[in-house]
Amino acid sequence: MIKHRTLASVGTLTAAALTLAGCAGDGGDAGGGTTELSLLVNVTPNLTEEFWNELVAPFEEANPGIDVVVQNPGAEGVAAALPRLLTAGDAPDVVQSMPPTVDLAPELVDLSQYDWATTGPLADQYSIDGKYYMAGIGFQLQSLWFYNKTAFEEAGIAETPTTVEELTDALGKLKDAGWTPIQTGGDWMTSHSLQALGLPTIVAQDPDWFARMSAGETTFAETYGQTVETYAGWVAEGYVPKDALGIKYPDAEQAFLSGKSAIYPMGSWFAGTEAKAEEKAEIGVFRAPAADGVDAPAMGANIASPYSILKTSEDQDAAAKLVEFLVTDQTAVADQLAVDGNFRDGYEYEMDALGQELQQIVADTPAESYTPTGQGYGERTLPTGYSDEINAQTQALIGGTPAADVESAMDDWFASSIG
């Protein structure tokens, strides 16, 4: 086993210096050599170089014939690095953080033979044509409303809302009690609250909504219209501040964290920020409710740390053994979940009270209730550009554009995008 490994940046690699596909070798030479597996990963302030090296060390110790070389994509990130490496013939053996797409699937190994891939988190939702091209570690929940417990107490709200109607009523009580009801902002986050309001009902009532929208079998106005009108009402009542569009994501996060607003629609990764904050409001969380009468609200979620194996890998069995470790080993999974504030039933790590509330939501959510948000994933996708368009139209809604105009604009966008 290679004892000293350098985390290389793929920006420094050339085909002459290192052909990553060739690094997998043939599982070692007849003399008992080492199989070298390249693992292309996302490197962030949380997912540091040290973290990745420590994560794979137990696997290497248990498999002395395999050396894992962690590859840093550098500033361009995995999403930009992988296509370039594929074109150059320098593809890694395993790639992390790249969910499979219809375009990428032909480059990936079908993992359908492995139970750890077919029964893992969101496995069915990310499958393409009945095949499983990735395995992930857990969930990033999206359909969530974080709330300030002090604000709820001062507004006389004893229980968290379980329907959209109850949520609207709670927003009115919060405003009357002197609180800014909803904390949102500009940039990408604007449409998060609209989707948290709508998708739990829309997808619960029509599980094929993504496919039917993409096929032109239904319209945005028919399916999303009530949500848009409800949200426009929130804006008109002052529950969504009209100056929110000038607020950047970090500022919105800090405003809610410090107790300046009552409810914050955001993904589960916020719990990671909350856990690290030394001074913060007392914060809870509830799943985004559906409209009255919908018994099983859909839960927007993304896969956390998907791993895929490239077909160009010359030792796919060794690569599969590595991925199995990364997505099933109790310690490895828990460490990955903890570092980025993700969750998976049965894989626990040290959590504060907010993390425990989120873990309970995961435990209480049936697999069939999970749904994509935004443009979607797997076979449940919308036309390219949907995320940008729904975000722009939500900003227009906050700016005062009538709900009917937003619905019409979205219908026109779908018509032109579907062709």
Side-chain angles (χ1 to χ4, degrees):
M1 177 177 174
I2 298 175
K3 298 299 182 182
H4 176 72
R5 293 176 293 116
T6 301
L7 188 93
S9 168
V10 298
T12 68
L13 304 179
T14 65
L18 177 62
T19 301
L20 297 183
C23 283
D26 57 4
D29 58 31
T34 299
T35 293
E36 197 170 90
L37 291 177
S38 53
L39 172 63
L40 180 64
V41 299
N42 192 26
V43 177
T44 71
N46 288 345
L47 301 170
T48 63
E49 299 180 2
E50 181 181 10
F51 170 83
W52 287 114
N53 279 300
E54 290 180 352
L55 181 69
V56 300
F59 173 81
E60 294 176 309
E61 184 175 351
N63 297 273
I66 302 175
D67 180 51
V68 181
V69 178
V70 180
Q71 301 294 341
N72 183 345
E76 67 179 334
V78 171
L82 183 60
R84 178 174 60 76
L85 292 171
L86 283 166
T87 300
D90 289 345
D93 294 285
V94 178
V95 62
Q96 177 263 353
S97 77
M98 277 288 289
T101 63
V102 173
D103 292 336
L104 183 60
E107 307 291 344
L108 306 177
V109 173
D110 180 5
L111 304 179
S112 300
Q113 63 179 304
Y114 302 110
D115 288 344
W116 46 262
T118 61
T119 61
L122 296 179
D124 290 339
Q125 288 87 337
Y126 276 81
S127 65
I128 297 173
D129 292 331
K131 297 180 179 180
Y132 298 78
Y133 295 101
M134 72 92 207
I137 64 165
F139 305 90
Q140 284 187 333
L141 301 182
Q142 302 248 0
S143 298
L144 299 170
W145 298 89
F146 293 91
Y147 70 100
N148 183 311
K149 293 186 176 182
T150 298
F152 271 48
E153 181 179 350
E154 291 183 359
I157 304 169
E159 302 288 339
T160 55
T162 59
T163 67
V164 169
E165 292 76 11
E166 289 179 3
L167 177 56
T168 299
D169 182 63
L171 293 174
K173 291 179 179 178
L174 289 164
K175 186 172 184 292
D176 290 344
W179 285 87
T180 297
I182 294 178
Q183 179 66 65
T184 186
D187 300 328
W188 59 270
M189 65 183 297
T190 307
S191 62
H192 192 97
S193 52
L194 182 67
Q195 294 186 72
L197 172 61
L199 288 178
T201 299
I202 293 166
V203 176
Q205 293 179 329
D206 184 2
D208 295 326
W209 180 76
F210 283 84
R212 296 203 321 119
M213 287 296 299
S214 295
E217 296 174 357
T218 188
T219 69
F220 186 88
E222 290 172 342
T223 57
Y224 234 112
Q226 182 58 58
T227 297
V228 173
E229 289 158 19
T230 298
Y231 199 80
W234 288 4
V235 173
E237 293 291 339
Y239 304 159
V240 182
K242 292 187 176 181
D243 63 357
L245 299 181
I247 301 175
K248 299 296 184 182
Y249 170 56
D251 297 326
E253 183 176 70
Q254 287 303 311
F256 176 70
L257 193 61
S258 63
K260 296 180 180 178
S261 47
I263 299 181
Y264 184 43
M266 189 48 58
S268 59
W269 55 85
F270 171 72
T273 301
E274 185 271 346
K276 298 172 187 174
E278 295 183 2
E279 296 184 8
K280 56 195 172 188
E282 187 178 2
I283 294 170
V285 63
F286 58 94
R287 63 176 301 150
D292 188 23
V294 177
D295 295 329
M299 166 57 73
N302 288 334
I303 192 70
S305 270
Y307 291 94
S308 297
I309 300 171
L310 277 295
K311 282 184 176 178
T312 49
S313 172
E314 294 186 14
D315 199 332
Q316 295 178 11
D317 289 341
K321 185 179 290 188
L322 171 61
V323 175
E324 180 181 10
F325 166 81
L326 290 168
V327 302
T328 63
D329 181 83
Q330 193 76 29
T331 300
V333 172
D335 287 348
Q336 292 176 84
L337 294 172
V339 76
D340 245 5
N342 296 314
F343 300 88
R344 181 175 177 180
D345 192 25
Y347 290 80
E348 297 187 5
Y349 52 91
E350 185 175 349
M351 302 176 187
D352 64 7
L354 182 60
Q356 291 171 10
E357 289 185 39
L358 284 165
Q359 183 77 352
Q360 189 60 51
I361 290 175
V362 172
D364 292 342
T365 302
E368 61 271 17
S369 293
Y370 287 108
T371 180
T373 61
Q375 195 166 307
Y377 47 68
E379 294 181 343
R380 294 195 286 178
T381 58
L382 298 173
T384 301
Y386 172 80
S387 293
D388 291 337
E389 187 64 22
I390 189 67
N391 202 55
Q393 292 300 331
T394 308
Q395 291 178 352
L397 202 60
I398 293 175
T401 298
D405 291 353
V406 168
E407 295 167 35
S408 178
M410 289 301 303
D411 281 342
D412 289 344
W413 181 86
F414 270 101
S416 64
S417 299
I418 295 171

